[in-house]
């Protein structure tokens, strides 16, 4: 069966389960995103939430990308990894006071603000400090991302952003807030978007909003289209780098960018997903009455996505070439949702074989938990093994 390339003999010596990162692929992806973005002078802020492993973060910081953060913890992690504050943006519907203060004290470049209630708190904190705050309004554009319901964010019923119908009211209030400097607008319609027409609809909406704002005399220095570009979970080796070329070209073609305007993006998954695999050991093969189970030493504590979003991750037995058999691949957690894949064809699995769960570099290690008193997984990197 077709498999990725792994330094299997080295991996066999490491205690499982763990994340393994292919640094050459990460660097290749960073080169592609930078080259494609440079064609249009786009600003890229890596969405730290996708993977905040310190080594991965520092490599991304060194590559020159900025950071998109959604918590004080992420701002701190980004600063520690070397992202310059002037490249950090801060989003999130529920920013706590200490997080706002951390952002202000470090002079981050922009607060992406999601409600009038939040604007007032930021204004008050800025007033006590005698400072002004650069802000972009996160607008909920009511555009369907055609992705999983749990990772859709740009619909009226989602908690995110300022509803279109409320935008004028927010702008009225904002005009009286001297501490707030309106820099631009921000969108994020969802994640794992593979149908580029969703982005097309977003740009049409952004064009209309921009016209309306200009009619009110508001000129936007920044427009931020958020993240969301999907990756190919089914063919991680055929298409290891996401389609940044067509994505940016589409935005460039359709967005009516004004002179001198800065266009920003916040990709997360598309930067780090394909370079990471969760490596786990087969503990048992259990022949049930209707199913054959491969029971691994990793569960949803290490990779939550299949249990939480029914998401597909390609699974490979990287230590066997024996004839393929069909397995339900499950973890050791005491919950029936702890399943990585049903009816998966794998080279015959024996105890102690190593299995790779592919495309796990995004929303894998960061979402690990200690449920069942388990240890958090460690991480190894191809260039330092
Ligand atoms: N910007 C904002 C404001 C976001 O909320 C997100 C993701 C991103 C950027 C990055 O989106 P990306 O390029 O990674 O699609 N845990 C889920 C994904 C949640 C995404 C949340 N927001 C999963 O495992 O699929």
């Amino acid at each position: 069966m077709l498999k990725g390339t792994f330094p299997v003999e080295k991996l066999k010596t490491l205690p499982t389960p763990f994340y393994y990162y292919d640094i050459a692929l990460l660097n290749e992806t960073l080169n592609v995103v930078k080259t494609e973005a440079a064609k249009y002078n786009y600003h890229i802020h890596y969405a730290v939430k996708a993977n905040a492993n310190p080594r991965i973060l520092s490599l991304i910081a060194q590559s020159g990308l900025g950071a998109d953060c959604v918590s004080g913890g992420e701002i701190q992690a980004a600063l520690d990894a070397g992202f310059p504050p002037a490249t950090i943006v801060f989003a999130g519907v529920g920013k706590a006071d200490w997080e706002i203060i951390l952002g202000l004290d470090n002079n981050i470049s922009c607060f992406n603000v999601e409600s009038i209630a939040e604007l007032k708190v930021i204004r008050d904190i800025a007033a006590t400090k005698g400072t002004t705050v650069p802000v972009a309004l996160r607008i909920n554009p009511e555009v369907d991302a055609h992705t999983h319901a749990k990772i859709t964010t740009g619909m009226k019923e989602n908690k995110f952003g300022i509803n279109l119908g409320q935008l004028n009211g927010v702008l009225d209030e904002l005009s009286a807030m001297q501490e707030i400097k309106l820099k631009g607008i921000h969108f994020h319609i969802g994640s794992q978007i593979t149908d580029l027409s969703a982005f097309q609809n977003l740009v049409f909406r952004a064009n209309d909003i921009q016209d309306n704002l200009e009619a009110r005399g508001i000129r936007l220095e920044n427009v931020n289209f958020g993240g969301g570009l999907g990756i190919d979970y089914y063919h991680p080796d055929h298409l290891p780098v996401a389609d940044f070329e067509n994505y940016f070209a589409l935005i460039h073609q359709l967005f009516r960018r004004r002179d001198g305007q800065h266009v920003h993006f916040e990709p997360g998954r598309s930067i780090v997903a394909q370079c990471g695999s969760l490596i786990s050991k087969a503990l048992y093969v259990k022949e049930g009455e209707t199913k054959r189970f491969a029971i691994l030493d990793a569960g949803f504590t290490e990779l939550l996505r299949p249990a939480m979003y029914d998401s597909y991750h390609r699974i490979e037995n990287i230590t066997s070439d024996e004839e393929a058999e069909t397995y339900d691949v499950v973890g050791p957690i005491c919950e029936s949702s702890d399943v990585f894949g049903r009816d998966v064809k794998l080279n015959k699995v024996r105890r102690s074989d190593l299995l790779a769960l592919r495309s796990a570099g995004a929303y894998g290690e960061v979402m690990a938990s200690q449920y069942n008193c388990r240890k958090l997984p460690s991480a190894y990197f191809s260039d330092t093994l």
Side-chain angles (χ1 to χ4, degrees):
M1 298 183 82
L2 212 65
K3 279 182 241 179
T5 38
F6 291 94
V8 175
E9 290 312 312
K10 281 185 182 157
L11 298 185
K12 275 185 185 165
T13 65
L14 304 170
T16 53
F18 58 86
Y19 275 88
Y20 169 73
Y21 294 105
D22 178 342
I23 298 303
L25 179 56
L26 174 63
N27 285 331
E28 185 188 335
T29 309
L30 290 168
N31 280 335
V32 173
V33 74
K34 281 192 308 181
T35 308
E36 295 303 325
K39 287 183 184 168
Y40 316 106
N41 238 324
Y42 286 164
H43 300 269
I44 308 295
H45 307 265
Y46 164 67
V48 172
K49 65 173 79 61
N51 189 317
N53 178 293
R55 172 107 206 276
I56 300 284
L57 275 189
S58 72
L59 288 169
I60 297 174
Q62 278 163 34
S63 81
L65 266 51
D68 159 45
C69 301
V70 288
S71 70
E74 284 191 359
I75 293 177
Q76 196 55 59
L79 292 169
D80 294 347
F83 287 94
T87 69
I88 297 179
V89 295
F90 181 22
V93 284
K95 300 181 187 72
D97 293 16
W98 73 267
E99 295 175 308
I100 295 168
I101 292 168
L102 182 72
L104 278 178
D105 287 350
N106 283 286
N107 286 316
I108 62 165
S109 72
C110 196
F111 288 72
N112 295 334
V113 171
E114 309 221 5
S115 67
I116 192 75
E118 181 193 337
L119 264 180
K120 287 179 180 163
V121 170
I122 294 182
R123 186 251 340 251
D124 291 347
I125 293 175
T128 61
K129 291 182 169 288
T131 183
T132 56
V133 196
V135 155
L137 294 179
R138 175 167 177 179
I139 299 172
N140 183 328
E142 294 164 28
V143 169
D144 193 346
H146 302 296
T147 184
H148 192 284
K150 284 192 183 160
I151 50 175
T152 291
T153 51
M155 305 287 281
K156 222 179 201 157
E157 62 272 24
N158 298 130
K159 68 179 174 183
F160 298 100
I162 294 163
N163 288 129
L164 282 176
Q166 297 175 326
L167 185 55
N168 274 322
V170 171
L171 291 169
D172 291 341
E173 291 206 44
L174 189 88
S175 58
M177 297 185 183
Q178 279 134 31
E179 294 79 7
I180 305 284
K181 270 177 60 183
L182 182 61
K183 302 266 286 187
I185 52 175
H186 172 240
F187 305 96
H188 174 74
I189 57 173
S191 199
Q192 184 50 19
I193 298 171
T194 49
D195 172 3
L196 286 186
S197 72
F199 291 116
Q200 183 171 326
N201 292 335
L202 172 62
V203 176
F204 292 151
R205 195 44 66 81
N207 285 336
D208 289 346
I209 294 171
Q210 168 145 275
D211 289 345
N212 290 335
L213 292 181
E214 282 181 353
R216 287 190 57 137
I218 298 171
R219 201 186 166 281
L220 301 169
E221 192 178 318
N222 297 332
V223 176
N224 183 333
F225 288 106
L229 180 64
I231 61 135
D232 190 337
Y233 281 96
Y234 289 88
H235 308 101
D237 298 309
H238 294 169
L239 294 166
V241 180
D243 192 1
F244 294 106
E245 182 180 355
N246 283 313
Y247 172 51
F248 292 146
L250 175 97
I251 308 272
H252 176 70
Q253 246 170 40
L254 301 176
F255 178 54
R256 294 203 304 271
R257 184 181 188 170
R258 306 300 195 243
D259 274 353
Q261 193 166 52
H262 296 284
V263 177
H264 298 249
F265 294 87
E266 303 168 342
R269 185 189 315 267
S270 52
I271 305 280
V272 288
Q274 298 292 29
C275 75
S277 296
L278 174 62
I279 308 292
S280 175
K281 198 169 267 182
L283 294 174
Y284 305 102
V285 173
K286 174 171 160 178
E287 301 283 351
E289 279 184 342
T290 56
K291 290 273 192 181
R292 179 186 295 121
F293 296 98
I295 303 174
L296 308 188
D297 65 357
F300 72 53
T301 40
E302 285 73 33
L303 181 62
L304 183 60
R305 303 193 69 257
M308 186 145 173
Y309 315 109
D310 291 319
S311 45
Y312 173 85
H313 285 263
R314 192 179 150 80
I315 306 174
E316 297 165 1
N317 183 344
I318 60 172
T319 46
S320 162
D321 284 323
E322 289 188 71
E323 203 161 315
E325 293 188 344
T326 303
Y327 301 86
D328 274 17
V329 182
V330 303
I333 308 302
C334 297
E335 299 217 19
S336 39
S337 61
D338 190 27
V339 176
F340 287 131
R342 295 181 206 279
D343 298 321
V344 182
K345 287 227 171 340
L346 292 173
N347 293 107
K348 186 178 174 64
V349 178
R350 297 180 188 273
R351 177 171 165 81
S352 297
D353 278 352
L354 288 186
L355 278 77
L357 287 104
R358 304 290 309 275
S359 315
Y363 308 110
E365 193 184 345
V366 266
M367 291 178 80
S369 77
Q370 292 186 301
Y371 184 45
N372 286 188
C373 289
R374 290 168 62 80
K375 285 202 182 94
L376 290 174
S378 37
Y380 297 94
F381 307 92
S382 57
D383 59 340
T384 53
L385 267 186

